């Protein structure tokens, strides 16, 4: 393919994407295919000769779109948002076009330097403590990671490094390996699955402590756990505080947890993956009070800040521990400016890295502070509107509501809500996922798409109430309930097994 | 920005990229800026109001291009190639446009299913053993990772899981934590820095064993190390064999290492990050003889196979160990097809994942087997041509030559070659990085760009010989040498320190 053909193909792809968004409401949010649908639609191996781009483009409609769950449909209310915006898409294109790999400064200075400045843009936009900024004096700074999972893991590894160094320097009579075997991390039972994964990967005991009735990890519970571990000779090392938990968007109290961590020389990492974007609006910053006691802070612009995946922002107060945990310098990685600008390869798990800061630059400049705040406030307002609709219907209860997430259920037995949830997803008009909170099965309803309007909320509510009618008026409800429970049980059994679509 | 503006901006970006490639030879491969150049060129924070896309696009020329190291310039001969092709760029655009996050099947079935098939396309293209394919019977399969670093780490974690399960089942009197504390991994001193990093992150002793005079890890050295560790009560767990080492593109003998691993129940992971792409050509497959004894195999289509970063292909013989090492299931991640199709979140470190298989699909279909083979063979032929030029000049020696990489030096003291290397990079016409191999300082010359032609090799060779003239004819060579050595020493001192561009 030469550049002339690329111009044609690329522009046709731009139109494909624009058309896709212009007509996104015409499609069911969930696809109507079964596992294994795709293999028969494509060749079984790489074709011998090259094909024309026109044929490839046609297959987007034939093969791909029928199997897409439309994350940017206004009817997508599952998980949390994954960001998408036009300027971010163009930023991604530019990054792919230049195709640089910026593992150190010389590998492409603009890639490192724009990232240094963009992390400061974001830090200031959220009004983070100055020690986190790259432009500050001192050893703190920000870096783009691929995901909150990586940020949590990196915090854990840096915390480990810090404790080991402190104890080794303090004439501890333990070996490095003995120290590492005694380290403990803490988070709440509401933290994201990636927290548990970080413990598995980084070989650190991870205690998922019980949260209170609002889904928060309290200082009392944390202190008790720390004291208990200390008595058993273990070494408290790392606390992951969550601002905006995955199930219900609950907020840990950073002032309470931070005080305990600072007194006990424990590294506090803040996981604000979704909710961090709300701190672009001053009225929500009270939720991160105490953030100055954190050693690291992470949120995902690729969730709620309109910057396409992947773009996870991590700040640390002292980058030394990252660099020392990761530095495996080789001669082919050295250059004459080594040590002058940050070589971000030592701030992350992989060696390679893309020019992701272009996406931030394009998106922030296109929207401006005002456009960003309008987006965040608009989503929260839509969630409030949905909440008001639920509250007006006495068959339902709102269990929690926080930022863009409303959790609700049908009064009565959990199975009723579970049945409603299944019906919603089977009907494919709106997409939600459930969670269990304090033994109640609830449906999470999240505003995710930048396209969502009041009429989309009305559409969703109409769908929910009309399927609720079916349940409430169903003559064979008990039978359905039973078969449903059986189905769920069998579903749990296959969980975790390795099976493949063949 | 609405879809009309996006159509304009997106198409202008396509033209920007095409123009960039059409004129790439007009630019020095290395930029002429100093650390910290960028900050004064951009605003210090997010602008209050949004800006026009035309102004953003203009800044690509003003702010970004002056700070780019041009990875796809035919004069880029550093590191190893990072892939870039027009169809892959369009694939990246489509992935950004659809913006799905495919962590499990229901999150976007097409994302999982195309990946399942594309990993089979690549596996067949390389003629990997059938057990690695998704379409095979049995528990093996392939998955896209972000980088070889992650693949090496995942192999390590899966190997750890396997040993722990085996020993716990075998009535070992050790606790899980005791077992984990005794595990050892092995690779050669020529392996990539990410191998050492995997040991650090995954908390496993990593022995970088001495390689032979061809840069290979031999069975004899590995066996000795294993025996020694066993005698000390340690547990050999994981071997990373390299096909195409980073310094010189040397190949470990998989038959020799694989036999030792299979006999000792040790997980052999094959890191073929760069060289794996050569196995698309039958004449190079002899280099991976013994691959059937590996438990996992990784290569990077984003290096030499024309698929833009990030796209690292990992196959495992038994995915059970991955899934068991990583599975931290939550109710919001379950769906009614759980267990039927692979939920790739359990095959990787992060939770989120992009629709990366689109890039493979677009690229393989555009080039076809014939186009891919032509690309690989063309690069190797250009390397041979460069080698012939070096060999014709008696001032030089070729120390190693393998696939698209030629390592060469000036006869005599290392400082001469070091001086030549510095001059090359200071002159910015071609970009190379050095390595030290068996105490010889050598310049690595790699064919990286898909645009490179014979005339570009002539250009590089002219540059090399003309700068060599300067060294050889210089009246103050000894003085230069001394100052150069001093500079290198001071450079080593700042290595690893955390400093930031301010």
């Amino acid at each position: 393919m030469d550049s002339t053909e690329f111009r044609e193909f690329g522009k046709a792809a731009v139109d494909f994407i624009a058309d896709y968004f212009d007509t996104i409401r015409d499609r069911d949010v969930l696809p109507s295919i079964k596992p294994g649908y795709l293999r028969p639609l494509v060749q079984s191996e790489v074709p011998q000769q090259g094909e024309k781009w026109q044929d490839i483009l046609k297959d987007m409609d034939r093969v791909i779109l029928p199997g897409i769950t439309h994350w940017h449909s206004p009817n997508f209310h599952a998980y949390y948002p994954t960001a998408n915006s036009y300027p971010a898409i163009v930023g991604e294109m530019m990054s792919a076009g230049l195709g640089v790999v910026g593992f150190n400064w010389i590998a492409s200075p603009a890639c490192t330097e724009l990232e240094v400045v963009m992390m400061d843009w974001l830090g200031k936009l959220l009004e983070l403590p100055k020690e986190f900024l790259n432009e500050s004096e001192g050893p703190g700074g920000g870096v783009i990671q691929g995901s909150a999972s990586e940020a949590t893991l990196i915090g854990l590894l840096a915390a480990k490094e810090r404790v080991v160094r402190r104890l080794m320097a303090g004439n501890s009579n333990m070996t490095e390996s003995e120290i590492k075997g005694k380290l403990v991390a803490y988070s709440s039972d509401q933290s994201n699955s990636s927290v548990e994964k970080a413990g598995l990967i980084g070989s650190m005991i991870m205690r998922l402590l019980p949260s209170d009735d609002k889904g928060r990890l309290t200082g009392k519970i944390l202190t008790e756990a720390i004291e208990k571990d200390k008595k058993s000779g273990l070494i408290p090392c790392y606390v992951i505080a969550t601002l905006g938990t995955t199930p219900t968007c609950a907020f840990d109290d950073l002032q309470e947890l931070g005080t305990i961590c600072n007194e006990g020389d424990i590294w506090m990492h803040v996981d604000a993956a979704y909710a961090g974007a709300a701190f672009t609006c001053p009225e929500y910053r009270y939720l991160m009070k105490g953030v100055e006691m954190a050693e690291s802070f992470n949120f995902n612009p690729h969730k709620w800040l309109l910057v396409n995946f992947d773009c996870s922002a991590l700040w640390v107060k002292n980058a030394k521990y990252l660099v020392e945990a990761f530095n495996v310098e080789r001669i082919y990685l050295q250059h004459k400016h080594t040590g002058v600008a940050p070589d971000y390869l030592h701030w992350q798990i992989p060696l390679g890295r893309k020019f992701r800061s272009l996406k931030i630059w394009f998106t922030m400049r296109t929207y401006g502070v005002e456009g960003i705040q309008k987006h965040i406030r608009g989503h929260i307002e839509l969630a409030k509107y949905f909440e008001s609709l639920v509250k007006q219907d006495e068959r339902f209860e709102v269990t929690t509501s926080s930022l863009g997430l409303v959790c609700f259920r049908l009064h009565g037995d959990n199975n009723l809500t579970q049945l409603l949830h299944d019906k919603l997803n089977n009907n494919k008009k709106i997409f939600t996922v459930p969670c269990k909170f304090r033994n109640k099965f609830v449906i999470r309803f999240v505003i995710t798409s930048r396209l969502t309007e009041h009429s989309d909320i009305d559409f969703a509510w109409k769908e929910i109430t009309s399927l609720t009618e079916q349940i409430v008026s169903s003559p064979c409800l008990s039978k359905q309930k039973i078969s449903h429970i059986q189905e769920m049980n069998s579903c749990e059994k296959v969980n975790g097994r390795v099976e493949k679509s063949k």
Side-chain angles (χ1 to χ4, degrees), chain A:
Chain A
M1 180 176 288
D2 61 18
S3 67
T4 309
E5 280 176 301
F6 167 67
R7 287 177 207 264
E8 293 167 8
F9 190 16
K11 289 172 188 179
V14 168
D15 280 326
F16 177 92
I17 295 166
D19 292 344
Y20 173 70
F21 280 103
D22 284 346
T23 60
I24 200 162
R25 280 188 183 79
D26 300 347
R27 299 172 193 275
D28 284 347
V29 62
L30 281 168
S32 295
I33 43 78
K34 292 211 172 1
Y37 89 97
L38 185 138
R39 198 181 276 276
L41 301 181
V42 299
Q43 291 139 297
S44 64
E45 50 197 310
V46 180
Q48 197 59 27
Q49 268 100 33
E51 297 177 57
K52 285 193 296 186
W53 67 261
Q54 290 87 347
D55 294 332
I56 297 172
L57 186 61
K58 269 185 216 151
D59 278 352
M60 286 298 293
D61 283 315
R62 185 181 66 91
V63 179
I64 302 302
L65 287 185
I68 292 290
T69 300
H70 302 283
W71 279 68
H72 308 291
S73 161
N75 303 317
F76 187 99
H77 301 290
Y79 314 115
Y80 271 130
T82 281
N84 188 289
S85 73
Y86 289 132
I89 295 171
V90 181
E92 192 78 77
M93 286 166 63
M94 286 294 192
S95 171
L98 295 175
V100 302
V101 178
F103 45 73
N104 62 14
W105 184 84
I106 193 66
S108 238
C111 180
T112 296
E113 297 211 5
L114 188 67
E115 183 161 334
V116 164
V117 178
M118 285 305 104
M119 288 303 297
D120 283 353
W121 277 26
L122 293 179
K124 291 177 197 173
L125 186 64
L126 269 61
E127 237 183 45
L128 289 183
K130 287 198 171 46
E131 307 97 280
F132 284 126
L133 303 185
N134 289 306
E135 68 179 27
S136 71
E137 296 297 324
V143 62
I144 303 174
Q145 302 288 336
S147 62
S149 311
E150 286 161 76
T152 306
L153 173 59
I154 285 168
L156 181 145
L157 297 168
K160 188 193 280 191
E161 183 74 18
R162 189 175 74 155
V163 171
V164 168
R165 290 195 171 240
R166 196 182 59 225
L167 293 182
M168 298 295 281
N171 298 318
S172 160
N173 48 15
M174 287 186 284
T175 65
E176 185 171 333
S177 147
E178 281 167 345
I179 295 171
K180 285 184 178 170
K182 289 179 188 300
L183 301 179
V184 191
Y186 308 86
S187 195
S188 91
D189 57 10
Q190 297 297 300
S191 65
N192 187 264
S193 61
S194 57
V195 167
E196 195 181 340
K197 212 171 185 176
L200 289 174
I201 296 170
S203 281
M204 197 181 289
I205 301 163
M206 178 67 68
R207 305 225 185 276
L208 299 179
L209 304 172
S211 53
D212 72 2
D213 59 354
K214 291 198 170 130
R216 301 172 305 193
L217 174 61
T218 65
K220 188 170 169 288
I221 294 283
L222 178 62
T223 302
E224 282 170 11
I226 289 174
E227 290 309 319
K228 198 177 157 197
D229 281 335
K230 276 185 173 173
K231 274 186 197 146
S232 324
L234 297 174
I235 307 167
C237 171
Y238 188 50
V239 166
I240 302 103
T242 311
L243 297 184
T245 59
T246 308
T248 64
C249 198
F251 288 77
D252 290 342
D253 183 333
L254 295 192
Q255 287 185 292
E256 214 175 277
L257 303 184
T259 306
I260 297 165
C261 289
N262 283 11
E263 283 170 3
D265 258 341
I266 299 168
W267 183 298
M268 180 166 80
H269 173 77
V270 177
D271 174 4
Y274 161 69
F279 308 143
T280 57
C281 303
E283 66 269 30
Y284 297 110
R285 285 184 199 144
Y286 74 94
L287 291 165
M288 64 165 171
K289 228 172 156 182
V291 68
E292 67 283 356
M293 288 185 277
E295 290 298 323
S296 49
F297 178 93
N298 167 242
F299 92 106
N300 288 343
H302 72 229
K303 275 205 160 64
W304 201 13
L305 208 68
L306 297 160
V307 182
N308 273 47
F309 186 87
D310 56 333
C311 182
S312 181
L314 172 67
W315 290 269
V316 289
K317 239 185 222 163
N318 191 341
K320 186 179 78 174
Y321 300 110
L322 258 69
V323 173
E324 287 175 354
F326 284 147
N327 196 333
V328 284
E329 194 64 85
R330 293 289 194 279
I331 184 172
Y332 51 83
L333 296 173
Q334 291 169 19
H335 55 89
K336 65 180 180 183
H337 298 294
T338 296
V340 178
D343 285 339
Y344 275 138
L345 79 150
H346 301 310
W347 295 50
Q348 63 173 20
I349 294 166
L351 175 58
R353 57 201 329 271
K354 281 171 111 159
F355 203 159
R356 290 177 288 205
S357 56
L358 284 172
K359 292 188 284 196
I360 302 176
W361 199 37
F362 283 23
T363 306
M364 294 301 114
R365 292 180 69 180
T366 300
Y367 282 87
V369 176
E370 289 176 10
I372 294 286
Q373 289 176 340
K374 192 177 158 201
H375 165 71
I376 298 291
R377 287 172 181 147
H379 271 199
I380 295 172
E381 201 272 311
L382 287 169
K384 290 267 170 261
Y385 176 60
F386 179 78
E387 185 184 351
S388 75
L389 295 175
V390 180
K391 281 184 167 166
Q392 281 162 30
D393 190 322
E394 58 187 14
R395 293 170 298 181
F396 292 92
E397 61 171 320
V398 170
T399 51
T400 60
S401 168
S402 172
L403 300 180
L405 166 65
V406 180
C407 293
F408 70 102
R409 67 192 297 278
L410 282 160
H411 284 297
D413 196 280
N414 275 342
N415 288 323
L416 286 174
T417 306
Q418 204 158 19
L419 190 55
L420 171 59
H421 180 260
D422 289 354
K423 277 183 175 289
L424 284 170
N425 285 359
N426 285 338
N427 223 32
K428 304 176 199 305
K429 300 295 178 201
I430 70 170
F431 181 30
T432 57
V433 293
C435 78
K436 235 179 184 170
F437 184 67
R438 310 207 74 76
N439 288 322
K440 284 183 173 174
F441 186 95
V442 301
I443 297 174
R444 297 172 73 263
F445 186 92
V446 193
I447 313 296
T448 67
S449 168
R450 65 181 164 79
L451 304 170
T452 310
E453 296 172 1
H454 282 84
S455 56
D456 298 305
I457 303 301
D458 291 332
F459 174 86
W461 182 241
K462 201 173 155 198
E463 172 76 358
I464 291 165
T465 48
S466 108
L467 294 180
T468 300
E469 303 290 335
Q470 288 180 22
I471 296 174
V472 173
S473 65
S474 166
C476 57
L477 175 60
S478 57
K479 206 171 154 190
Q480 272 184 319
K481 272 168 65 176
I482 290 160
S483 77
H484 175 73
I485 292 163
Q486 286 169 338
E487 194 192 316
M488 287 304 289
N489 284 343
S490 75
C491 173
E492 272 164 30
K493 273 185 205 136
V494 297
N495 247 343
R497 273 214 324 226
V498 188
E499 301 209 22
K500 300 176 303 174
S501 73
K502 304 225 174 191

